[in-house]
């Protein structure tokens, strides 16, 4: 269970997603990452121990879920929950801010900005987004 510093909604949200990796994981999932190896291959090069810990933290907070492993695999696929997908507009706005306020940043593809929370609110663990 998450220990919150205070009742402030901003501080409490940051207690869950305020580290340097959690929103990068959400961004990768919006872009179609579903496996541990997909998430390891992000341009930011997250280490395996940090990725495992962040995935556990995001799952404990109800932002992602892991489906049962497929045959021949030791890990299941990861998917955003409705709660996690509700972060999509936040992540998109952070990207827009970074594009306009920070020099020499790459522009996310159109499909990133086209993603909507409802695209990911799928109960079987498979995201509907491309």
């Amino acid at each position: 269970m998450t220990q919150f510093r205070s009742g402030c909604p901003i501080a409490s949200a940051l207690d869950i997603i305020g580290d340097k990796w959690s929103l990068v994981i959400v961004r990768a999932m919006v872009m179609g990452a579903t496996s541990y190896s997909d998430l390891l291959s992000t341009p930011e090069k997250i280490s395996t121990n940090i990725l495992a810990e962040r995935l556990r933290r995001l799952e404990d907070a109800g932002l992602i879920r892991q489906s049962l492993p497929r045959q021949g695999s030791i890990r299941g696929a990861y998917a955003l929950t409705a709660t996690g997908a509700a972060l999509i507009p936040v992540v998109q706005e952070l990207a827009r801010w970074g594009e306009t306020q920070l020099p020499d940043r790459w522009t996310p593809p159109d499909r990133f900005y086209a993603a909507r929370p409802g695209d990911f609110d799928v109960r079987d663990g498979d995201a509907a987004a491309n």
Side-chain angles (χ1 to χ4, degrees):
M1 174 166 235
T2 302
Q3 296 294 318
F4 296 109
R5 293 175 280 171
S6 75
C8 171
I10 294 171
S12 296
L14 291 174
D15 287 338
I16 297 172
I17 59 166
D19 62 271
K20 71 180 190 176
W21 294 109
S22 294
L23 292 179
V24 171
I25 292 168
V26 171
R27 180 213 62 207
M29 294 178 84
V30 169
M31 292 302 298
T34 60
S35 70
Y36 192 84
S37 60
D38 289 343
L39 295 165
L40 273 178
S41 68
T42 64
E44 295 79 17
K45 304 296 181 205
I46 188 171
S47 66
T48 57
N49 61 322
I50 298 292
L51 177 59
E53 191 276 328
R54 291 309 185 276
L55 289 171
R56 216 173 6 263
R57 183 188 302 174
L58 293 171
E59 190 169 12
D60 288 347
L63 277 71
I64 65 171
R65 73 171 121 7
Q66 184 179 18
S67 62
L68 294 174
R70 290 174 266 216
Q71 188 173 9
S73 175
I74 61 169
R75 291 189 174 96
Y78 292 94
L80 291 170
T81 63
T83 301
L87 286 168
I88 291 171
V90 174
V91 176
Q92 290 168 330
E93 285 305 312
L94 280 171
R96 285 183 184 96
W97 181 86
E99 281 184 79
T100 61
Q101 302 301 314
L102 304 173
D104 303 321
R105 302 300 93 200
W106 49 268
T107 300
D110 290 340
R111 69 187 175 115
F112 171 78
Y113 287 122
R116 298 293 174 256
D119 298 340
F120 293 85
D121 188 12
V122 179
R123 294 291 164 207
D124 67 3
D126 295 326
N130 300 340

